[in-house]
Amino acid sequence: MIDKLMNMLEERENEMIEIRRYLHENPELSFKEEKTANYIADFYKDKDVEIVTNVGNGYGIVVTIKGGNPGKTVALRADFDALPIKEEADVKFKSKNEGVMHACGHDAHTAYLLVLADCLISLKDNIHGSVKIIHQHAEEVPPGGAKSIVEAGFLDDVNAIFGIHVLPLAPAGTVGYHSGYSFNGRAYFKLRLQASGGHGSSPHKANDAIVAGAYFVTNVQTIVSRRVDPFNAGVVTIGSFDGKGTFNVIKDSIELEGDIRFSNEETKDVINKEIHRIVKGTEELFGVTCELTYEPDYPPLYNDPELTAFVADTLEKIEDKDIKEVKEFPKMAPSDDFAYFLEKVPGSYFYIGCTPKGVEEPYFNHHPKFDIDEDAILVAAKSVGHVVSSYLAMDK
């Protein structure tokens, strides 16, 4: 079956590229991907599968391919939302939706999985078990789509889940993996600080919100340097300090927004505790009132060590002209809501090199000039195809 599957994927490489380019030209933002979802659903029209649309808290789609023989159930996921970025990449299939761009590779993810799923449907009589294809909406914007898909019960009968992300950290043909904690978790906070305003000439008659806010900004930077285990990763970023006023007026209130990243649950708890403590201290020290909104977004992504070793071993043993190197990648600082799937069932999220040919310093994901080597799409399809076929064949 694996040989047949690989041949089918090779024959349909151009189709994958065409799908990717169509999606790239027609990007839609998170939770607004109605046309993209319709395009995906239409792809499965009249095929011998079970399809559920509008899954979770948005336009998610779950397609179930039931094999001709009993066995385990494995899930595969690809995300399909885009970003609010004006495209600057010099490509012929540039975004037609001004200010919206597939700058993270989700178009490539969806393209490979659509064709891989279709090939698996053609071979379903040979499959031992079932394959759930999860086309996920809204990966980029919390609360994301993954958590709602899990809560809707679509992983309740799943034994393992796999997914990939294209990354310009290596050329096409390279597959990367990392075991254990692999992507950071993240949280969001907003702090509204209320003091009392006044004239710039008479600070003793006012209570300066900007001074108290500046103290808070400086103090939260000590959390990572003095409270987090140095062997764990943590980041606290103040991305917005809204204190705009007039030069001779003491501000009575300000609003801050921040981004938090953490490599594991221990670090998450430390940062959460310390920010709340510093807020209370700021109130006491400056005599101000603070209103804190603290929202955990995505958990840290944990790749099951056993299944990640299975992925690496499977891909290292095969002889495939398109999969040229399999190697361990470092931990990744960004976050991905695939982590919610991995909290529910064991699995592995691995990486597909996509550095454009001839480029020494590629633009990374989320850059307005981000682009990929489209050879990576076939590599993604083949890699996941090998993994899912080998996994389902283990117990037959």
Side-chain angles (χ1 to χ4, degrees):
M1 172 182 160
I2 292 180
D3 289 340
K4 287 183 180 179
L5 178 61
M6 295 305 121
N7 288 335
M8 293 171 72
L9 292 172
E10 289 178 13
E11 292 171 357
R12 297 179 68 175
E13 179 179 12
N14 288 337
E15 181 183 352
M16 294 184 221
I17 292 173
E18 288 173 4
I19 292 172
R20 182 256 168 165
R21 293 184 177 187
Y22 170 81
L23 295 172
H24 193 90
E25 284 185 316
N26 298 277
E28 294 180 294
L29 295 174
S30 306
F31 296 109
K32 298 178 180 180
E33 320 97 325
E34 182 177 4
K35 292 180 181 178
T36 305
N38 288 339
Y39 175 87
I40 294 169
D42 285 345
F43 181 87
Y44 292 101
K45 188 177 180 181
D46 299 326
K47 299 186 187 298
D48 188 16
V49 293
E50 295 178 3
I51 180 169
V52 183
T53 59
N54 299 321
V55 170
N57 57 357
Y59 294 106
I61 297 170
V62 177
V63 177
T64 302
I65 305 168
K66 292 186 176 180
N69 308 280
K72 294 180 179 179
T73 297
V74 62
L76 307 176
R77 173 269 209 170
D79 35 18
F80 60 80
D81 55 329
L83 288 156
I85 294 174
K86 182 177 180 179
E87 183 164 16
E88 297 177 10
D90 184 19
V91 295
K92 295 180 180 179
F93 44 91
K94 200 168 182 177
S95 171
K96 295 177 181 178
N97 189 353
E98 184 71 17
V100 183
M101 177 191 176
H102 269 297
C104 201
H106 297 183
D107 49 349
H109 300 173
T110 300
Y112 101 78
L113 190 55
L114 283 171
V115 174
L116 173 60
D118 198 25
C119 293
L120 290 172
I121 293 168
S122 299
L123 299 170
K124 62 185 298 185
D125 289 344
N126 299 314
I127 293 177
H128 289 255
S130 298
V131 182
K132 281 195 176 183
I133 305 295
I134 300 174
H135 292 286
Q136 186 209 308
H137 61 293
E139 186 277 325
E140 298 288 0
V141 176
K147 184 179 180 181
S148 67
I149 292 174
V150 172
E151 291 173 344
F154 285 96
L155 267 69
D156 288 354
D157 61 345
V158 171
N159 299 105
I161 186 167
F162 299 99
I164 61 93
H165 205 301
V166 293
L167 292 172
L169 296 178
T174 303
V175 180
Y177 64 90
H178 190 276
S179 184
Y181 285 110
S182 301
F183 273 54
N184 282 343
R186 78 182 188 198
Y188 160 85
F189 73 87
K190 178 169 68 175
L191 176 66
R192 178 174 173 79
L193 193 152
Q194 184 67 51
S196 57
H199 198 289
S201 66
S202 305
H204 61 295
K205 294 183 178 180
N207 193 4
D208 197 334
I210 287 181
V211 171
Y215 171 88
F216 174 83
V217 171
T218 301
N219 211 14
V220 293
Q221 299 308 311
T222 66
I223 295 174
V224 173
S225 66
R226 287 295 176 268
R227 293 291 179 263
V228 171
D229 186 327
F231 291 100
N232 296 333
V235 180
V236 178
T237 297
I238 306 298
S240 174
F241 190 123
D242 186 2
K244 179 66 176 176
T246 304
F247 75 98
N248 63 347
V249 175
I250 294 173
K251 285 285 291 182
D252 69 337
S253 65
I254 61 164
E255 190 170 277
L256 304 167
E257 289 183 289
D259 176 68
I260 297 165
R261 306 284 170 150
F262 40 86
S263 60
N264 54 38
E265 291 295 327
E266 175 189 349
T267 305
K268 169 188 172 182
D269 293 341
V270 168
I271 295 176
N272 185 344
K273 175 184 176 182
E274 291 300 317
I275 284 183
H276 282 81
R277 186 176 66 84
I278 291 171
V279 167
K280 290 181 180 179
T282 303
E283 287 183 317
E284 184 67 24
L285 184 60
F286 290 93
V288 297
T289 300
C290 293
E291 180 183 342
L292 176 66
T293 301
Y294 193 97
E295 298 176 350
D297 288 343
Y298 301 162
L301 186 150
Y302 184 81
N303 279 327
D304 180 79
E306 183 176 340
L307 285 176
T308 301
F310 166 77
V311 168
D313 186 59
T314 298
L315 298 179
E316 285 170 349
K317 287 181 177 178
I318 62 173
E319 294 183 3
D320 191 304
K321 62 182 177 59
D322 295 303
I323 301 174
K324 300 170 184 176
E325 183 178 17
V326 180
K327 66 178 185 179
E328 185 174 6
F329 272 31
K331 285 184 179 181
M332 299 294 164
S335 306
D336 194 299
D337 71 347
F338 192 83
Y340 283 117
F341 296 127
L342 293 174
E343 282 190 330
K344 177 67 176 180
V345 298
S348 188
Y349 197 48
F350 51 105
Y351 321 114
I352 306 298
C354 67
T355 301
K357 292 180 178 66
V359 177
E360 293 185 2
E361 296 184 6
Y363 295 102
F364 200 66
N365 306 62
H366 289 216
H367 192 282
K369 293 184 179 180
F370 173 79
D371 194 17
I372 68 169
D373 181 346
E374 291 181 320
D375 289 351
I377 303 175
L378 178 60
V379 176
K382 281 188 160 187
S383 298
V384 178
H386 277 294
V387 169
V388 67
S389 299
S390 298
Y391 179 82
L392 292 176
M394 285 193 298
D395 295 329
K396 73 177 184 179

